[in-house]
Amino acid sequence: MTVSTHSPEPGIAVVTVDAPPVNALSVKGWFALASAVTDAGRDPATHVVVLRAEGRGFNAGVDIKEIQRDPGYGALISANEGCAAAFSAVYDCAVPVIAAVQGFCLGGGVGLVGNADVVVASEDATFGLPEVDRGALGAATHLARLVPQHLMRALYYTASTITAAQLHHHGSVYAVVPREELDETALGVARQIAAKDTRVIRAAKQAINGIDVQPVHRSYRFEQGFTFELNLAGVSDGARQEFLDGKGK
């Protein structure tokens, strides 16, 4: 698993996740991603961050196998903390973050995208929260930033997915393009932002976060509390094992 950062053009930092086979991140992966995004934003030379991934899909959430291997709750707690750190890093990044999404964007992927400033997606991109099928809860906070309230509830309860085109209709995805054009489209938006006075853009990021009606940090951690309760009750282990036995990764 690698999280790497490079600067293809002045002012633009590209953070890439590459965790085969499906970009389901381990605890270390979530914290590495959080550090990479935070560090990129702190660099005065960075005017905008592009968050992207290699492989078939953008992100498949947490590494369920890592949690199941732990006989206690240490891995679960650390995964909760790692996700919260990564989502917060995107939201609190000192400069705008553009998420470039291809293929599947599930669970924690929705947490990242929901906290991004701009989302561009390939035509084959789909977004969803399979949490209820895994005996967990979380990222409804972030899905609610992508779709209206009642649609969010329907998607959440049914663990259904929604397409990039549908999210474009709701205004939460800025552009939908063929997969081969995804990176260049994200860079095109990044260039427009990078060309602005970074002092103004950085102030704008703080200002927009300051008037946000959604308390993303608190509400997500509130959701995670119910995940821990389900684990204490013994509900989640069976659901996760059923997923691994039936589908695997």
Side-chain angles (χ1 to χ4, degrees):
M1 192 284 299
T2 60
V3 176
S4 59
T5 305
H6 75 285
S7 181
E9 300 176 21
I12 301 175
V14 177
V15 175
T16 299
V17 175
D18 187 6
V22 294
N23 288 325
L25 298 185
S26 65
V27 169
K28 288 184 179 179
W30 286 109
F31 281 110
L33 177 55
S35 295
V37 173
T38 299
D39 290 347
R42 285 176 176 167
D43 185 345
T46 301
H47 295 190
V48 61
V49 172
V50 175
L51 176 59
R52 63 177 299 279
E54 292 289 342
R56 295 187 289 120
F58 177 75
N59 189 281
V62 301
D63 184 347
I64 293 178
K65 291 182 180 179
E66 181 180 40
I67 294 174
Q68 286 299 87
R69 286 194 298 267
D70 188 343
Y73 296 113
L76 172 68
I77 294 171
S78 296
N80 281 357
E81 292 174 342
C83 285
F87 302 168
S88 294
V90 172
Y91 187 80
D92 293 328
C93 185
V95 299
V97 176
I98 301 168
V101 182
Q102 84 278 12
F104 47 80
C105 179
L106 303 171
V110 171
L112 296 170
V113 169
N115 270 2
D117 295 277
V118 181
V119 183
V120 297
S122 61
E123 293 170 336
D124 66 343
T126 57
F127 304 74
L129 296 178
E131 266 64 3
V132 296
D133 288 340
R134 311 288 191 268
L137 300 175
T141 293
H142 310 93
L143 184 59
R145 298 168 68 80
L146 300 173
V147 298
Q149 177 69 208
H150 284 84
L151 179 55
M152 179 275 288
R153 289 171 181 254
L155 292 170
Y156 199 82
Y157 297 148
T158 62
S160 300
T161 58
I162 189 169
T163 67
Q166 289 172 301
L167 290 185
H168 185 261
H169 170 76
H170 289 292
S172 49
V173 167
Y174 184 69
V176 180
V177 298
R179 183 182 281 223
E180 60 270 20
E181 298 176 14
L182 179 61
D183 284 334
E184 180 55 36
T185 300
L187 286 175
V189 179
R191 289 185 194 106
Q192 294 181 59
I193 297 173
K196 310 297 183 184
D197 187 327
T198 189
R199 297 168 297 181
V200 177
I201 295 299
R202 286 169 179 261
K205 178 70 183 273
Q206 292 185 61
I208 291 173
N209 280 5
I211 63 171
D212 202 334
V213 297
Q214 177 70 288
V216 294
H217 304 311
R218 179 175 60 81
S219 60
Y220 177 60
R221 294 297 274 168
F222 178 82
E223 289 185 71
Q224 286 185 319
F226 289 96
T227 294
F228 196 60
E229 284 186 8
L230 289 170
N231 277 270
L232 288 174
V235 175
S236 301
D237 281 339
R240 286 193 298 264
Q241 193 60 53
E242 184 177 347
F243 166 70
L244 293 174
D245 291 343
K247 298 180 180 179
K249 285 192 288 185

